[in-house]
Amino acid sequence: MKRPTIADIARRAGVSKGAVSYALNGQPGVSAATRERIIAIAQEIGFNPNSAARALSGAAANAVGLTLCRPARTLGIEPFFMELISGVEAELSARSYALTLQVVADPEAEIAVFRRWWGERRVDGVFVCDLRVDDRRIPVLERLQLPAMVIGGPGHTGTLANVWCDDGAALVEAVEYLVALGHHRIARVGGLPGLLHTEIRTRAFTDLCARLGLSRAVTVPSDYTGEEGGRATRRLLSSPERPTAILYDNDVMAIAGLAVAQEMGLSVPADLSIVAWDDSALCQLVHPALTALGRDIPAYGANAARRLLAVVAGDPVDDFQDQTAHLTPRGSTGPPPRDT
Amino acid sequence: MKRPTIADIARRAGVSKGAVSYALNGQPGVSAATRERIIAIAQEIGFNPNSAARALSGAAANAVGLTLCRPARTLGIEPFFMELISGVEAELSARSYALTLQVVADPEAEIAVFRRWWGERRVDGVFVCDLRVDDRRIPVLERLQLPAMVIGGPGHTGTLANVWCDDGAALVEAVEYLVALGHHRIARVGGLPGLLHTEIRTRAFTDLCARLGLSRAVTVPSDYTGEEGGRATRRLLSSPERPTAILYDNDVMAIAGLAVAQEMGLSVPADLSIVAWDDSALCQLVHPALTALGRDIPAYGANAARRLLAVVAGDPVDDFQDQTAHLTPRGSTGPPPRDT
């Protein structure tokens, strides 16, 4: 099929090719009504000016932005983000969109990056990761009218669309499995407080343990690093009535927890059961392999990218609930010791 | 670096600038054969009429590109690249440059991305990672005159500048340490064959072991994944005269190797010493913590970024040798068992 040209639009609109060019490049020389009509026709017939020409005119960047607000050393060993990026990237490159990446120190720096990107038309839209309970980025993005897709939820996204998954339901599956194995001294090493998904998991854990009468259930807050995960584990295993099972909010902390158990002479799973969240390949590198809550993170990223491009195109986009993480039992979980 | 112009194409094709313009704009006035030849030359040198227009306007992309040619699942758990990216990114954002990222399936796809990025003026320069012994990307980048910085070497970079480090010297430090501990049955699980740094390490290992009279030294090639690293370890530890020490070409494979030793009932380091390459935080997550060859990867990335921007600016840039990785002994290495 012949690719639509400016001449095709001009013919349909009954105007000159020059007028079409003015209209699409945001230059004066046509009335607002004519400009709208020309843009509508261009969209309808799938006219796609060369990306470089568009960049010249400032009309579209053909790139979307992703900011990562984590310290470099944590990012390096956290498989989640690289898996997410690979999924995002696969979808974008199939549609000839580029991914612009920036590591930021804090949410303030992140907001500054959003403003600069949009001001310079470096991106056509952005992803919002690590959603917070009361997230300052949301109202800023709304005011900027910068197309955005929140990766997280549910709720707390203002008028922005999001993709999310039910972390509460996943947590219930893992804890109920441990209870079925006979555990009643269950602890959780949580991720960064203030992040929405951390709070959702903490609430779900507290509610479920109260309902099941697990009075000694406790969440130790941490920061997703192996160092802090190991420290929290050492503290839990040094308490007079140590837990017989620990659930970790990511895989890196679970691996650090396994090492601390070995260091303290405890056998996994005979003395301690371990469950990881985010079933990356790391979970199967260690011995015993870790029981883990997992889902397809690259697919989650691809989904978010598809939806962000729809937002950029001005299409209506609903919130979307992705698959719930499911539990894969491996060698790190078993019944608790007899005397507990 | 100068951008290709219509004059460059005309000179190469031995025709007038007018003929080039006719050919590229689909107008009559040139023969079909000449048109084909002109289009081929334009593609080869990365000419794009719109990018030329953009260059005329004096606008730079203010972005540089990084392609990653690894499967998503490997990237996710390989700390090296995320650490490299965080260093690159810190330097770029301080200079208001964006980083454009693309995951590619193979070197052919990577070359196509380079051509498109440069043709559409999406980037002002690119990084070249995972340098191969006979790397097809180098001559293509030279022909495109796309500013580039090779992360790897020494040598094999044509006229392109590079940053590199002395992997051979680092390998010697690790092996000599194992020999000093009393080991003489030493094996190595190597990374992807064909990559220059893999070949340099293999040659250094073979040469050193020959010099030291370690007749049973062997390198098992692998692919940097934990899965393959574990499989190679299982094979080595199942041989009649199993090694008492194994050196791994990355941290992920070393962790998988530790798990295989545990799975086979061997104690580390009493029965087997393990040395990892790339001392990411992963090495200290496991028990025992891994002895590792490490250096500052974010600083390496920042250095490469600084130098790429100098190339983009047209400044003279020499090849640069970064610090050599040094050995940090931890709990995974010790003397070999007495009977060996």
Side-chain angles (χ1 to χ4, degrees):
Chain A
M1 201 175 92
K2 189 170 150 296
R3 198 138 34 119
T5 63
I6 283 189
D8 296 329
I9 302 170
R11 196 164 46 246
R12 284 207 189 205
V15 299
S16 70
K17 287 198 285 183
V20 172
S21 178
Y22 292 152
L24 296 182
N25 290 319
Q27 292 170 308
V30 287
S31 72
T34 304
R35 187 188 307 277
E36 288 310 303
R37 192 154 52 86
I38 287 170
I39 288 172
I41 290 170
Q43 274 186 340
E44 194 197 329
I45 70 173
F47 176 78
N48 208 329
N50 175 286
S51 65
R54 277 196 295 184
L56 266 182
S57 74
N62 275 359
V64 296
L66 176 66
T67 46
L68 296 173
C69 187
R70 296 279 178 98
R73 205 160 162 79
T74 314
L75 264 184
I77 61 164
E78 172 98 53
F80 177 84
F81 282 111
M82 211 50 169
E83 288 189 12
L84 187 77
I85 286 171
S86 73
V88 162
E89 223 292 315
E91 184 68 27
L92 291 180
S93 66
R95 315 262 296 260
S96 289
Y97 264 76
L99 177 64
T100 297
L101 192 74
Q102 186 137 1
V103 181
V104 292
D106 53 51
E108 293 309 305
E110 203 168 1
I111 286 171
V113 167
F114 287 153
R115 287 187 194 282
R116 184 166 56 78
W117 275 350
W118 190 230
E120 298 175 1
R121 290 300 188 273
R122 277 181 175 277
V123 299
D124 300 319
V126 295
F127 296 101
V128 180
C129 294
D130 278 344
L131 186 63
R132 301 186 157 268
V133 175
D134 187 11
D135 201 307
R136 294 198 49 245
R137 298 170 296 177
I138 304 296
V140 171
L141 289 169
E142 287 174 333
R143 275 198 303 275
L144 286 174
Q145 298 194 294
L146 166 54
M149 176 57 52
V150 180
I151 300 177
H156 302 264
T157 67
T159 58
L160 306 181
N162 70 339
V163 294
W164 65 284
C165 65
D166 189 345
D167 272 12
L171 181 130
V172 167
E173 185 183 353
V175 173
E176 287 186 340
Y177 174 68
L178 291 170
V179 170
L181 287 173
H183 295 273
H184 47 266
R185 294 211 306 265
I186 302 172
R188 169 171 162 267
V189 175
L192 276 169
L195 296 184
L196 179 62
H197 71 278
T198 306
E199 300 300 323
I200 287 172
R201 294 175 185 185
T202 300
R203 196 163 48 242
F205 185 69
T206 308
D207 290 353
L208 178 64
C209 291
R211 199 157 69 242
L212 296 175
L214 305 176
S215 57
R216 294 202 192 86
V218 61
T219 288
V220 182
S222 184
D223 67 354
Y224 287 122
T225 66
E227 205 177 357
E228 283 298 307
R231 196 169 294 152
T233 305
R234 215 172 273 114
R235 209 160 79 230
L236 284 167
L237 296 182
S238 305
S239 63
E241 286 209 305
R242 60 175 170 78
T244 58
I246 307 181
L247 170 64
Y248 293 83
D249 263 16
N250 74 358
D251 44 7
V252 168
M253 296 195 296
I255 286 168
L258 172 64
V260 167
Q262 292 172 337
E263 153 206 319
M264 293 176 73
L266 296 177
S267 172
V268 174
D271 301 315
L272 179 71
S273 284
I274 286 178
V275 179
W277 206 310
D278 289 341
D279 187 11
S280 78
L282 280 182
C283 294
Q284 294 182 66
L285 283 190
V286 292
H287 182 78
L290 299 184
T291 295
L293 284 166
R295 62 201 175 88
D296 189 338
I297 304 297
Y300 190 50
N303 206 346
R306 210 153 37 235
R307 286 164 178 276
L308 176 56
L309 294 188
V311 173
V312 167
D315 297 335
V317 175
D318 289 335
D319 292 347
F320 180 81
Q321 181 180 353
D322 206 82
Q323 62 174 145
T324 301
H326 58 266
L327 190 75
T328 301
R330 299 200 185 91
S332 70
T333 44
R338 288 230 184 111
D339 58 342
T340 56
Chain B
M1 208 169 280
K2 190 168 149 293
R3 294 197 48 76
T5 64
I6 283 188
D8 295 326
I9 301 171
R11 195 164 45 245
R12 286 206 186 209
V15 299
S16 69
K17 287 198 283 182
V20 173
S21 179
Y22 292 152
L24 295 181
N25 290 319
Q27 292 171 309
V30 287
S31 72
T34 303
R35 187 189 307 278
E36 287 309 304
R37 192 154 52 85
I38 287 170
I39 288 172
I41 291 170
Q43 270 186 343
E44 196 199 327
I45 69 173
F47 176 81
N48 177 309
N50 291 290
S51 68
R54 179 163 183 142
L56 276 178
S57 80
N62 277 352
V64 296
L66 175 66
T67 45
L68 297 173
C69 187
R70 296 279 178 98
R73 204 161 161 80
T74 313
L75 266 183
I77 61 163
E78 172 99 52
F80 177 85
F81 282 110
M82 211 51 168
E83 288 188 13
L84 187 77
I85 286 171
S86 73
V88 162
E89 223 293 315
E91 184 67 27
L92 292 179
S93 66
R95 315 262 296 261
S96 289
Y97 265 75
L99 177 65
T100 297
L101 192 74
Q102 185 137 2
V103 182
V104 292
D106 53 50
E108 293 309 305
E110 203 167 1
I111 286 171
V113 167
F114 288 154
R115 286 188 194 282
R116 184 166 57 77
W117 275 351
W118 190 229
E120 296 177 0
R121 197 44 164 164
R122 277 179 177 279
V123 299
D124 300 318
V126 295
F127 296 100
V128 179
C129 294
D130 278 344
L131 186 64
R132 300 187 157 267
V133 174
D134 187 12
D135 201 306
R136 292 199 50 246
R137 298 170 297 177
I138 303 296
V140 171
L141 289 169
E142 288 175 332
R143 275 199 303 277
L144 285 174
Q145 299 193 294
L146 166 53
M149 177 56 53
V150 179
I151 299 178
H156 302 265
T157 67
T159 58
L160 306 181
N162 70 338
V163 294
W164 64 284
C165 64
D166 189 344
D167 272 11
L171 182 130
V172 167
E173 184 183 355
V175 173
E176 286 186 341
Y177 175 68
L178 291 171
V179 170
L181 286 173
H183 295 274
H184 47 266
R185 293 210 307 264
I186 301 173
R188 169 170 163 266
V189 176
L192 276 169
L195 295 183
L196 179 62
H197 71 278
T198 305
E199 300 301 323
I200 287 173
R201 294 175 185 185
T202 300
R203 195 162 49 242
F205 184 70
T206 307
D207 290 353
L208 178 65
C209 292
R211 200 157 67 242
L212 296 175
L214 304 176
S215 58
R216 293 202 193 86
V218 61
T219 288
V220 182
S222 184
D223 66 355
Y224 288 122
T225 66
E227 205 177 357
E228 283 299 308
R231 197 169 294 153
T233 306
R234 214 172 275 114
R235 209 159 81 230
L236 284 167
L237 297 181
S238 304
S239 64
E241 287 210 304
R242 59 175 171 78
T244 59
I246 307 180
L247 170 65
Y248 293 85
D249 262 15
N250 73 357
D251 44 6
V252 168
M253 295 195 297
I255 287 168
L258 173 64
V260 167
Q262 292 172 337
E263 153 206 318
M264 293 176 73
L266 297 176
S267 172
V268 174
D271 300 316
L272 178 71
S273 284
I274 286 179
V275 179
W277 205 309
D278 289 341
D279 187 11
S280 78
L282 280 182
C283 294
Q284 295 183 65
L285 283 190
V286 292
H287 182 79
L290 299 184
T291 295
L293 284 166
R295 62 200 175 90
D296 190 337
I297 304 298
Y300 190 52
N303 205 346
R306 209 154 37 236
R307 285 163 178 278
L308 176 56
L309 294 188
V311 173
V312 167
D315 298 335
V317 175
D318 289 335
D319 292 347
F320 180 82
Q321 181 180 352
D322 205 83
Q323 62 175 143
T324 301
H326 58 266
L327 190 75
T328 300
R330 300 201 185 90
S332 69
T333 45
R338 291 232 182 109
D339 59 342
T340 57

